[in-house]
Amino acid sequence: MTILDKIIADKYKEVALKKSIIPTTQLEASVLFERETASLANALRESNTGIIAEFKRRSPSKSVINQNASVEDVAKGYEHAGVCGMSVLTDGKYFGGSLDDVLLARASAQLPILRKEFIIDEYQILEAKAHGADVILLIAAVLKREEIKTLSETAKSLGLDVLLEVHNLEELQKSIMPSLDMLGVNNRNLKTFEVSTDISKELSTHIPDDFVKVSESGISSIEAIKDLKPFGYQGFLIGENFMKTENPGKSALEFVNQLS
């Protein structure tokens, strides 16, 4: 059983528990449910840098990354740095995140916010909308084509952007559909946890131009981004690079300044 299998098994239990306590009507009654969302896909198309900066306390592969940073400070710092969007991990057990992090980021900044989560149920999309997210992540490795279709269409009906993440050509080919905005290539091999941007390069020609191309994981240098731009990538998800520093917002500002 891989770490991903464990996470997904736990996620089914977690979502079932939440659904038994908080009905969807309560989520739909949230003040933020009527809020007009901001499009991350449009922000990436219009940007020269394309940075999506992440808020992540820990991960299964790296354990603790940064337990001291406050999501409010980081959100303000990222916005000041001029990033295109902010990715917020909401898984508690494996990444130390929560939906409150999305809520606090939303209260602190205007930039598009991605709820980064292992989404397996439409309920989680309603949660994302109710807590102020603008974008959801779907992971092709854990979803069937029909599930991707249902979940992405639900998100679009709520005005949310959809970033679909793939790891290989097979996942990409089963996933391409009109209800997606962005196609993200994760450079991390889920079996070995090794990271190489070669996979982004290999898959770039298979991604139709209708979608914004996003490269994820293992991007820690200006060179890596400059190397990927000729392959059509407009978005670059940077996770640990900023968060492992004392001041993630300041690190993001320096990075964006160098890049532009």
Side-chain angles (χ1 to χ4, degrees):
M1 197 183 205
T2 67
I3 186 72
L4 188 60
D5 295 332
K6 285 182 193 160
I7 291 171
I8 296 303
D10 284 338
K11 199 56 61 179
Y12 274 103
K13 291 178 197 161
E14 181 190 307
V15 173
L17 275 172
K18 283 185 170 183
K19 284 167 93 170
S20 71
I21 298 167
I22 299 171
T24 54
T25 48
Q26 192 172 323
L27 294 173
E28 288 164 351
S30 157
V31 175
L32 288 168
F33 211 83
E34 298 308 314
R35 174 185 158 267
E36 195 171 325
T37 52
S39 171
L40 176 60
N42 288 347
L44 293 174
R45 281 191 190 99
E46 291 161 12
S47 167
N48 294 324
T49 58
I51 303 297
I52 305 162
E54 196 150 84
F55 182 83
K56 175 161 65 174
R57 292 185 180 86
R58 55 187 167 86
S59 76
S61 61
K62 288 277 169 75
S63 60
V64 173
I65 298 164
N66 189 334
Q67 292 283 42
N68 301 320
S70 87
V71 69
E72 304 98 302
D73 291 344
V74 174
K76 286 174 187 165
Y78 282 166
E79 185 165 58
H80 176 65
V83 303
C84 294
M86 178 175 179
S87 164
V88 180
L89 262 295
T90 62
D91 174 80
K93 183 172 180 180
Y94 296 92
F95 291 88
S98 78
L99 274 162
D100 281 349
D101 290 337
V102 173
L103 201 59
L104 291 169
R106 174 80 292 139
S108 308
Q110 296 301 308
L111 76 179
I113 293 174
L114 162 72
R115 179 189 186 186
K116 198 171 188 197
E117 179 58 270
F118 300 87
I119 290 183
I120 41 97
D121 193 296
E122 289 170 80
Y123 183 84
Q124 294 163 288
I125 300 172
L126 297 176
E127 284 183 324
K129 177 76 171 167
H131 287 77
D134 303 280
V135 195
I136 59 148
L137 174 76
L138 297 178
I139 302 171
V142 300
L143 299 167
K144 298 184 183 78
R145 181 176 171 83
E146 274 311 303
E147 292 172 320
I148 294 168
K149 187 172 187 291
T150 303
L151 294 167
S152 58
E153 287 176 357
T154 298
K156 294 312 295 174
S157 73
L158 295 172
L160 297 167
D161 270 7
V162 180
L163 168 62
L164 183 106
E165 175 180 299
V166 300
H167 297 84
N168 54 45
L169 186 57
E170 187 188 358
E171 289 177 7
L172 177 62
Q173 288 173 333
K174 81 167 183 188
S175 307
I176 291 173
M177 57 187 75
S179 45
L180 308 174
D181 301 284
M182 296 160 280
L183 274 161
V185 178
N186 192 327
N187 300 307
R188 188 185 301 279
N189 182 312
L190 286 181
K191 294 187 174 73
T192 63
F193 274 92
E194 285 172 6
V195 177
S196 168
T197 55
D198 288 348
I199 188 67
S200 282
K201 294 174 187 176
E202 285 164 27
L203 294 186
S204 65
T205 54
H206 299 278
I207 302 174
D209 290 336
D210 326 14
F211 305 104
V212 176
K213 295 179 194 178
V214 179
S215 187
E216 309 169 14
S217 292
I219 298 167
S220 57
S221 67
I222 306 294
E223 291 70 38
I225 291 176
K226 288 182 173 168
D227 189 35
L228 286 166
K229 281 197 170 183
F231 291 87
Y233 285 92
Q234 292 173 290
F236 306 93
L237 183 69
I238 298 184
E240 289 157 19
N241 199 44
F242 302 144
M243 283 303 295
K244 67 186 181 187
T245 66
E246 206 170 309
N247 186 332
K250 185 169 173 252
S251 302
L253 178 63
E254 287 166 1
F255 194 92
V256 170
N257 285 344
Q258 270 185 285
L259 190 58
S260 49

